[in-house]
Amino acid sequence: MVRSNVFIADAGPLIALSRIGALDLLRGIFGEVWVTPEVRTEALPVADYPGKAELAAAFDAGWLRLLAVPASGWQPLNPGLGPGERSSIAAALAQPGCLLVIDDRAGRAEARAWKVAIIGTAAVIGLAKLRGLIPTVRPVLERLQPAGYFIGSAVIEAVLADIGETASL
């Protein structure tokens, strides 16, 4: 079966969604999601953390899949990118038309510079509501900060406005 869309994820969104018990939203929206070996290493470190078991189970279930990045001469404009962001963008460049799920600010800027289509964790949660996977967005977004994932109130309000959910309680 040939898929017209490829979805690649960086470690940050995977960890954030797994920490709040919402990793399945990615499967519900995209079906299967690809990650590079570097991202898998970042997402499944030796140390335990809340949500790690959910990530490991997603790999075991096969909807979170490993994508080998072909060797290329590509070099990022920002040499300070981490290995996960660097490999995710390289993978996205090798898969024209893919969508990259990434939150890291420097990584997003790099991806945009190379014209890679991107979406962040907050937008994934908004899309989950539009697809009927969750009833409301605000409670899910608001669980991110206590779980150790920074998300600004401006981002929360922008996503709520984009999906037509009341911006203020």
Side-chain angles (χ1 to χ4, degrees):
M1 175 178 177
V2 176
R3 294 193 55 144
S4 59
N5 295 321
V6 173
F7 305 100
I8 299 170
D10 187 33
L14 296 175
I15 293 168
L17 290 168
S18 70
R19 283 181 180 246
I20 63 168
L23 186 63
D24 253 9
L25 294 180
L26 287 174
R27 182 174 61 176
I29 295 167
F30 303 124
E32 63 184 18
V33 178
W34 295 86
V35 300
T36 64
E38 293 84 355
V39 166
R40 187 175 197 274
T41 298
E42 286 181 23
L44 295 175
V46 173
D48 199 18
Y49 66 87
K52 180 180 174 185
E54 188 178 3
L55 267 169
F59 279 106
D60 290 344
W63 69 264
L64 202 51
R65 304 177 56 99
L66 208 53
L67 175 67
V69 181
S72 75
W74 178 77
Q75 291 294 315
L77 301 171
N78 178 354
L81 284 182
E85 289 81 21
R86 180 186 293 257
S87 67
S88 293
I89 294 167
L93 289 169
Q95 300 286 330
C98 79
L99 180 63
L100 176 60
V101 185
I102 187 169
D103 288 333
D104 178 81
R105 182 173 286 173
R108 289 172 70 89
E110 185 77 31
R112 280 191 198 105
W114 292 94
K115 309 240 183 298
V116 172
I118 60 173
I119 187 172
T121 299
V124 165
I125 294 167
L127 191 53
K129 174 167 188 237
L130 295 176
R131 299 269 175 98
L133 301 173
I134 56 174
T136 57
V137 170
R138 182 182 292 278
V140 180
L141 290 174
E142 288 179 345
R143 290 196 323 251
L144 288 169
Q145 277 187 323
Y149 200 77
F150 175 77
I151 183 167
S153 58
V155 171
I156 291 173
E157 298 305 320
V159 170
L160 293 174
D162 282 351
I163 62 152
E165 197 170 297
T166 305
S168 298
L169 291 176

